[in-house]
Amino acid sequence: MTAPNVFVLKKSLSGSSSVLSGVPQGSVLGPLLFVIFINDICNSVCDNISIKLFVDDVKLYIAFCDTSSPKQLQTAIDSIIKWSNACQLTVSPTKCAVLSIGKRITMYDYTINSTVIPRVNNFSDLGVIIDSSLTFEPHITSICNKARQRAALILKCFTSRKPKLLTRVFTTFVRPTLEYASCVWSPCNSHFINMIESVQRNFTKKLSGMKNLSYSDRLSVLAIDSLEKRRLKSDLCMYYKILNAHIDLNVKDYFLFARTTCTRGHNFKLVKPICCTNFHLNQFGIRCVNVWNALSSNIVNASSVQVFKRLISTANLSC
């Protein structure tokens, strides 16, 4: 299907030309047309291969077991290349990467048009650096370095020394860097927790009148939470969104509801499975179950996400 492409400059119109591939950029219908244009790419991949799309970014993955092999993933890559050639979309092998996750890594050279796709130990996916062991150490190190640089610039560039003002700037320009997608990478290792917290700890200590106060006292005076507590609140908000179908995710993939109803607690009680390793214990769907079950009924049954956030800010999360 072709569409006329006309440019307008003041009151002058250019001649029309047909768009033989792609979609017009900068138009209102551009995003919708692009989705329609690439929507059938999923049909070119077999059912045993998982495919995820975000704009023009495509991810293919498979869990290797007795019934799967690297050749199946290579077949899926070949199918994607065949689809892209038919749609006149060129895939660059140098912009692609292979990331194997797990202890038992199957070494296999995946190719695009006979060109081997480079293998990496970590890769940035929508702003989060995923590493082969899922420790998220590269991501945490990266965001901490970036946050420290921004925090230092705030103290250097602002002439005002008012703690409230500088804290507001910190929470606006630095803290989001340390909290983006924290539900994915929130650490359980004390070393990483302290590394992240040190950014806010060091910044608040350099504010006027805060040097001789403890970190908890500084947070109280400045009326802000620790970053660890904020990550906990973020997890609980995500629990609320998933359990109340505000996000298109399958609840059963993350949580198991308690079968018995008791007089105490609320109607969204979750079961915490038995965990043999700390890695399993600190997975997203498990690490906050105790705190979630301890919340009061009026918080869990909040009428909206905004109400839930307001109520959770006043709740006692010391458990």
Side-chain angles (χ1 to χ4, degrees):
M1 180 179 68
T2 61
N5 196 6
V6 179
F7 294 96
V8 180
L9 180 61
K10 294 183 178 181
K11 295 183 179 181
S12 302
L13 298 178
S14 68
S16 61
S17 61
S18 298
V19 179
L20 302 179
S21 64
V23 295
Q25 295 185 4
S27 63
V28 176
L29 289 178
L32 177 60
L33 293 174
F34 181 78
V35 171
I36 297 174
F37 183 70
I38 68 168
N39 193 46
D40 62 333
I41 189 174
C42 298
N43 298 331
S44 61
V45 179
C46 299
D47 294 336
N48 62 331
I49 303 293
S50 299
I51 179 172
K52 300 296 182 182
L53 307 177
F54 185 82
V55 192
D56 60 346
D57 182 51
V58 181
K59 291 180 287 291
L60 296 173
Y61 62 92
I62 184 175
F64 292 129
C65 56
D66 295 337
T67 58
S68 59
S69 66
K71 292 183 179 181
Q72 292 177 317
L73 189 56
Q74 179 62 59
T75 301
I77 295 175
D78 295 337
S79 299
I80 293 294
I81 300 304
K82 183 179 179 181
W83 176 92
S84 63
N85 291 335
C87 295
Q88 302 182 40
L89 297 174
T90 304
V91 177
S92 176
T94 57
K95 295 183 178 180
C96 302
V98 175
L99 176 64
S100 298
I101 298 176
K103 295 181 179 179
R104 299 179 180 178
I105 297 178
T106 303
M107 301 303 294
Y108 186 90
D109 290 335
Y110 299 96
T111 61
I112 294 179
N113 296 328
S114 300
T115 302
V116 177
I117 306 175
R119 183 177 291 272
V120 296
N121 293 323
N122 57 74
F123 195 80
S124 179
D125 182 22
L126 303 181
V128 178
I129 301 176
I130 311 294
D131 59 280
S132 57
S133 57
L134 291 183
T135 62
F136 293 101
E137 180 177 2
H139 178 75
I140 295 174
T141 301
S142 175
I143 62 175
C144 286
N145 291 338
K146 186 182 298 183
R148 290 192 192 96
Q149 293 174 0
R150 292 185 179 182
L153 283 175
I154 292 175
L155 296 174
K156 181 179 179 180
C157 298
F158 278 75
T159 58
S160 175
R161 297 290 93 182
K162 294 181 179 180
K164 291 289 185 180
L165 173 63
L166 295 178
T167 301
R168 184 66 179 271
V169 178
F170 178 87
T171 58
T172 302
F173 294 102
V174 179
R175 199 167 64 181
T177 303
L178 298 169
E179 296 181 339
Y180 170 73
S182 63
C183 294
V184 176
W185 54 264
S186 183
C188 61
N189 187 296
S190 59
H191 171 70
F192 295 142
I193 294 175
N194 293 332
M195 182 189 298
I196 300 170
E197 204 69 46
S198 67
V199 179
Q200 182 170 273
R201 182 184 291 108
N202 294 336
F203 179 84
T204 55
K205 192 172 185 177
K206 295 177 181 178
L207 298 180
S208 177
M210 300 291 170
K211 183 177 181 180
N212 297 324
L213 297 178
S214 65
Y215 181 51
S216 59
D217 290 338
R218 295 198 298 270
L219 295 180
S220 178
V221 172
L222 298 173
I224 58 177
D225 290 327
S226 67
L227 298 177
E228 184 178 9
K229 187 176 182 179
R230 286 182 58 83
R231 290 196 300 273
L232 173 60
K233 290 182 178 180
S234 180
D235 281 350
L236 293 175
C237 287
M238 187 61 69
Y239 273 43
Y240 176 87
K241 293 177 183 179
I242 295 176
L243 291 170
N244 289 275
H246 291 293
I247 296 180
D248 187 18
L249 293 174
N250 188 358
V251 177
K252 295 181 180 179
D253 291 340
Y254 298 90
F255 309 116
L256 178 63
F257 287 104
R259 296 181 179 179
T260 58
T261 304
C262 57
T263 56
R264 295 183 180 181
H266 48 76
N267 55 327
F268 279 106
K269 284 272 189 177
L270 302 175
V271 175
K272 187 175 183 178
I274 299 175
C275 302
C276 300
T277 63
N278 288 332
F279 180 82
H280 188 204
L281 181 64
N282 288 281
Q283 289 182 355
F284 167 74
I286 301 176
R287 63 182 178 232
C288 296
V289 169
N290 290 343
V291 183
W292 174 265
N293 289 339
L295 295 177
S296 61
S297 179
N298 66 309
I299 296 178
V300 172
N301 292 284
S303 58
S304 65
V305 177
Q306 289 73 21
V307 174
F308 179 84
K309 289 182 178 180
R310 186 173 67 247
L311 294 175
I312 204 71
S313 63
T314 59
N316 181 14
L317 302 178
S318 58
C319 59

